[in-house]
Amino acid sequence: MWPDKRRVWAVILRALGVLTLATSMGAAASVAPEVESFLDMPQGSSPSMWIRGEILREPVSTPSGSRFELRIDAVRPRDEWVPVAAHMEVRMASSPPAPNWFAGTSVELFSALRGDRPSANPGSAKHDRLRVRGIDVRATLKHHSQVRIRSPPPASVIGSVRDRIRDAIGDHQESGLLRALLLGERDDVPDAMWQILDRAGVLHLLAISGLHVGILIATVHVVTRLCGGTPQLSRLGALAVSLLIPVFVEPRAPVRRANSSATIYLLARLVGARLRGIDCVALATTLQLVKSPISVFDLGFQLTTAASVGLALAFDTGRRPAAFSALVRTSATAQLWVLPLIALTAAKLQPLAVVANLVAVPALSIALPVALISVGLNTVTPASVSVFAGPVASAQVAMINATDSLIDAVRTFAELAGDVLPVIAAPAFTWTHAGAYWAGLLLTVTSNRSARRLGAVTATLTVALALRPPIPYEPRLVAFDVGQGDAVLVETPRGAVLYDAGGYPGVDYDVGYHVLAPQLRRRGISRLDFLAISHFHADHAAGSLGVMKSVATSEVWVGSTPPGHPTQASVLAAARALDATSFAPFGLLQRAGCAWDPLTPDPEGLLEGARGVSNHASLALLARCGRYGVLLAGDADVAAEAGWLGAARGRMFATTVLKVGHHGSDTSTSAALLEALRPRHAMISVGIRNPWQLPRDDVLRRLRARGISVYRTDRDGAITVRLADRVRVTAERWVRARY
């Protein structure tokens, strides 16, 4: 065992070296300069162009079609090809034709180049989701026929094997999970499954990382030893597996780092050297950051690195604990070291996730090798060898069924665990807390008892301080950045209300769970006085299920919607299951320290839209919070606004803030409404580069002609309006621009 001072200083110096390298190189990483001038050209300027390049990796299926990566070598915006070097992700609304397109295929396609633009909400990731994967730009196609093959696909053994693995996995209940576990292709995993695993604290099972690499290497070692192989032979087999993993799975940063750690360790053992685990982790992390500096901003890379550092320090003692003790210690150590990252990104703590991992990790340790063997039998065994065909097919079916049963058991257990295990909001957690917490954990791995106690106390107190929720001392509104959708939070010292919950039509992604729930937890909101759904179009209502599952909701207010609408039925069923009262509000209601006046359209207009969900039937809310007025207009049209002015003119009053109707469409926000309300500030929830070109210029002119300040989520990000002695408006993109 190291002397304490040497051990602590060695860890500190390694950590400082890696962080210094990561920070300096990560800050320098940016979009390829050659392609910047072609990005995000204004609407109406014909931004689409011919793009020429080489496929880097064959297409993989997604819930909405397929995607592949392209190395661009030139673009043709007008008449001539312009050399450009960039890495692009292409998403298609259809699967590619057979035979598949393999790496190395030269293609041309006609599309616009788009930069990535993550949502700008307080505390959310400040770096592009694609850039952390080394991708500079993206493009979207409707059909594979828009891609023109310039040269026939080259022969690709690796691509063919990957295709055979996909065919062997087939299409059954757990095929999406198997593709994620064996090939790293997570796009086909349903969002509902992501939520189940996340609530149970076992979402890391889907990301191929050190756990998966370790399971495969251990399997090779055990099988080799059982077959009479020498230790050196088992290490050679494990090394071969370690080198093959990044070839066949999607090469994300966590995979490359875990593979590098394993390879370094095995090479050292083969030559008779012994490297400490922390040395392997530090060297592998440095190599990954040298290869791809932007990986420092990849959350998956951060999580796996933190867990690996903790495990290397915890087990670098030379003693081998018993199997169950090692499992408990491994699970607890990994959870403790990744705790700050989860608290920073999702504003939550899952203290009992270690319990779920005690079941899920052993199940994965069995399911992964069994699945790999069963798929391997189908992939490498020639179908023409009839003497083997029957036994191999039977074995493969049995193994696939066993794997399905194991994965299904993990899913069922995770669902139960997610409903039972507590989730604690961590609203005040900052990077300062994270630094103090990790410093405390470092002290706990020393052999000095006093230092260990000090470290445990430091880490515990740091977490306790981060659990204290912030108290709003004045009413405030937050229009969240949820793309082409609406989600507005009204928060006061006496409660909180959410108006609409965003969502994406036809996309398997729950905005309520992944975006809004962390935002509510970050504000210390554990209960909503009510969730109001203006109408049941997906961009307003699809996220409501995720919100209700994550944050207790007392009431659900709904507008006038024809009975039997599927979204309405699912939302009301979820409300009943979660003991939330749902109703159509009427009359003046007092909630969360504000007076709420529901505005409904005239009956004739409702009859016209009775065949389906109608913008006209939006539930609008006129609120008075102290001496300030707020109108949340949903997607209500001009006719609905006229109905409010006619039926509720006596209740209308001057407002401070207007949430502009229908994302700034010219079907809403009439001059008569602006004259009656005389708002000072207008918030427009709208998606960047939306195909409807919202907000409309005539609406913006009407607002500015009356001296109304206009704020837009597509340009400003999340908008916060504080209603104190004076009104203060801040936008997330302004805050980020200052740092």
Side-chain angles (χ1 to χ4, degrees):
M1 186 182 298
W2 300 348
D4 286 342
K5 289 183 180 179
R6 285 184 59 195
R7 187 176 192 187
V8 172
W9 279 109
V11 171
I12 291 174
L13 289 174
R14 291 182 185 114
L16 287 176
V18 170
L19 288 175
T20 302
L21 178 66
T23 304
S24 60
M25 299 180 71
S30 62
V31 176
E34 301 92 343
V35 80
E36 283 184 338
S37 60
F38 302 106
L39 286 181
D40 304 330
M41 298 173 69
Q43 292 178 349
S45 62
S46 300
S48 294
M49 64 192 77
W50 281 103
I51 302 165
R52 186 177 68 200
E54 182 180 283
I55 293 177
L56 291 175
R57 193 173 180 84
E58 69 273 7
V60 297
S61 62
T62 68
S64 57
S66 59
R67 66 172 174 84
F68 63 92
E69 296 176 14
L70 189 74
R71 182 190 293 113
I72 303 176
D73 55 53
V75 297
R76 195 177 73 187
R78 294 179 181 83
D79 298 326
E80 296 182 355
W81 287 100
V82 179
V84 167
H87 189 174
M88 180 172 73
E89 180 183 77
V90 182
R91 287 188 175 265
M92 297 186 295
S94 65
S95 297
N100 211 338
W101 305 339
F102 295 131
T105 305
S106 181
V107 299
E108 291 179 358
L109 55 91
F110 189 74
S111 179
L113 292 175
R114 301 298 190 194
D116 196 20
R117 190 250 189 207
S119 60
N121 290 303
S124 62
K126 295 177 174 58
H127 303 284
D128 296 350
R129 293 160 295 184
L130 294 179
R131 283 294 300 142
V132 298
R133 290 167 46 201
I135 296 173
D136 302 301
V137 292
R138 59 186 174 87
T140 303
L141 304 177
K142 292 183 178 180
H143 197 264
H144 60 72
S145 60
Q146 293 175 262
V147 179
R148 189 165 63 194
I149 304 296
R150 297 181 64 241
S151 64
S156 173
V157 175
I158 295 173
S160 299
V161 171
R162 275 198 293 256
D163 271 353
R164 294 198 65 180
I165 292 174
R166 294 187 190 101
D167 292 339
I169 292 172
D171 187 12
H172 50 93
Q173 183 181 2
E174 310 298 351
S175 57
L177 282 174
L178 282 175
R179 279 192 287 272
L181 292 174
L182 298 180
L183 294 172
E185 297 172 0
R186 296 175 287 175
D187 301 76
D188 226 12
V189 178
D191 190 63
M193 174 57 73
W194 280 84
Q195 294 183 35
I196 289 171
L197 298 177
D198 183 47
R199 285 198 299 271
V202 295
L203 184 60
H204 63 92
L205 299 183
L206 283 184
I208 296 180
S209 58
L211 173 63
H212 304 71
V213 173
I215 290 173
L216 294 178
I217 288 177
T219 301
V220 172
H221 174 74
V222 170
V223 171
T224 305
R225 297 294 286 161
L226 288 176
C227 294
T230 63
Q232 200 76 342
L233 182 62
S234 71
R235 291 177 192 131
L236 280 172
L239 180 62
V241 170
S242 178
L243 294 174
L244 286 174
I245 286 173
V247 174
F248 288 100
V249 307
E250 193 160 350
R252 296 177 185 261
V255 180
R256 292 194 294 261
R257 190 211 54 77
N259 174 75
S260 298
S261 296
T263 302
I264 292 167
Y265 175 79
L266 291 168
L267 283 173
R269 294 302 304 273
L270 280 171
V271 298
R274 278 187 176 271
L275 283 180
R276 296 184 177 94
I278 191 64
D279 292 321
C280 295
V281 173
L283 183 55
T285 302
T286 303
L287 290 174
Q288 172 59 29
L289 292 174
V290 168
K291 183 178 187 300
S292 177
I294 199 71
S295 297
V296 71
F297 302 122
D298 185 340
L299 177 60
F301 177 77
Q302 295 170 1
L303 289 169
T304 58
T305 301
S308 299
V309 168
L311 292 171
L313 292 174
F315 286 92
D316 205 3
T317 61
R319 296 190 300 269
R320 290 189 177 182
F324 183 75
S325 174
L327 176 62
V328 174
R329 190 174 172 186
T330 299
S331 181
T333 300
Q335 293 295 320
L336 286 172
W337 279 83
V338 302
L339 180 148
L341 295 171
I342 295 175
L344 287 166
T345 54
K348 66 179 180 181
L349 303 177
Q350 295 171 290
L352 296 181
V354 61
V355 177
N357 279 275
L358 291 180
V359 176
V361 172
L364 178 68
S365 301
I366 299 171
L368 187 58
V370 171
L372 189 63
I373 293 170
S374 64
V375 169
L377 288 174
N378 183 276
T379 303
V380 302
T381 303
S384 58
V385 184
S386 58
V387 68
F388 294 116
V392 166
S394 301
Q396 192 217 4
V397 169
M399 291 184 191
I400 284 289
N401 290 338
T403 306
D404 278 357
S405 299
L406 278 169
I407 293 177
D408 190 55
V410 171
R411 182 223 300 269
T412 304
F413 172 79
E415 195 164 5
L416 292 173
D419 293 336
V420 174
L421 299 181
V423 173
I424 301 174
F429 215 98
T430 64
W431 279 105
T432 302
H433 291 93
Y437 176 86
W438 277 322
L441 288 187
L442 280 173
L443 289 175
T444 63
V445 300
T446 65
S447 60
N448 186 293
R449 182 175 299 180
S450 299
R452 290 202 303 269
R453 289 175 178 172
L454 176 62
V457 170
T458 301
T460 304
L461 286 178
T462 301
V463 173
L465 290 173
L467 298 181
R468 189 174 61 181
I471 301 174
Y473 294 102
E474 73 279 335
R476 60 187 176 189
L477 281 73
V478 183
F480 293 114
D481 182 6
V482 291
Q484 186 67 22
D486 272 4
V488 180
L489 174 70
V490 181
E491 187 181 11
T492 75
R494 297 177 59 184
V497 165
L498 186 64
Y499 179 78
D500 282 337
Y504 300 114
V507 177
D508 185 28
Y509 180 80
D510 192 331
V511 170
Y513 185 86
H514 296 289
V515 178
L516 297 179
Q519 289 298 318
L520 297 177
R521 287 194 295 265
R522 195 163 277 119
R523 289 164 174 76
I525 297 173
S526 58
R527 175 173 290 275
L528 292 171
D529 288 69
F530 68 83
L531 165 64
I533 301 173
S534 62
H535 61 302
F536 285 96
H537 283 159
D539 58 330
H540 295 255
S544 55
L545 293 174
V547 169
M548 287 190 289
K549 290 177 182 176
S550 305
V551 180
T553 306
S554 299
E555 298 173 346
V556 178
W557 293 8
V558 297
S560 302
T561 303
H565 187 272
T567 306
Q568 180 190 39
S570 60
V571 169
L572 297 183
R576 286 192 297 270
L578 298 168
D579 297 325
T581 305
S582 57
F583 59 93
F586 180 81
L588 197 64
L589 300 170
Q590 297 286 336
R591 299 287 189 278
C594 298
W596 300 87
D597 189 359
L599 302 179
T600 55
D602 60 285
E604 292 184 4
L606 284 177
L607 291 175
E608 291 175 6
R611 290 185 299 273
V613 177
S614 168
N615 288 334
H616 178 83
S618 289
L619 168 66
L621 296 177
L622 182 64
R624 184 181 290 279
C625 300
R627 60 192 180 93
Y628 296 106
V630 176
L631 176 63
L632 306 173
D635 277 358
D637 56 18
V638 173
E641 295 171 2
W644 307 339
L645 296 175
R649 180 170 291 277
R651 308 199 306 271
M652 303 295 278
F653 51 85
T655 62
T656 305
V657 182
L658 167 66
K659 200 293 294 180
V660 173
H662 202 186
H663 318 289
S665 169
D666 53 11
T667 61
S668 306
T669 319
S670 63
L673 180 71
L674 296 177
E675 187 63 30
L677 297 178
R678 300 191 299 280
R680 293 165 51 192
H681 304 278
M683 304 187 304
I684 304 177
S685 293
V686 64
I688 189 171
R689 296 186 301 272
N690 63 86
W692 304 277
Q693 298 187 13
L694 301 177
R696 292 290 188 175
D697 290 339
D698 52 352
V699 174
L700 296 175
R701 282 194 293 268
R702 280 202 296 271
L703 294 168
R704 289 169 179 152
R706 289 168 172 78
I708 301 170
S709 302
V710 178
Y711 309 95
R712 302 165 45 171
T713 57
D714 62 335
R715 294 182 179 177
D716 303 320
I719 304 158
T720 302
V721 182
R722 291 176 171 82
L723 304 175
D725 294 335
R726 61 185 181 89
V727 178
R728 292 175 296 162
V729 181
T730 57
E732 183 64 15
R733 292 198 184 279
W734 307 350
V735 174
R736 295 183 181 188
R738 290 200 291 266
Y739 298 96

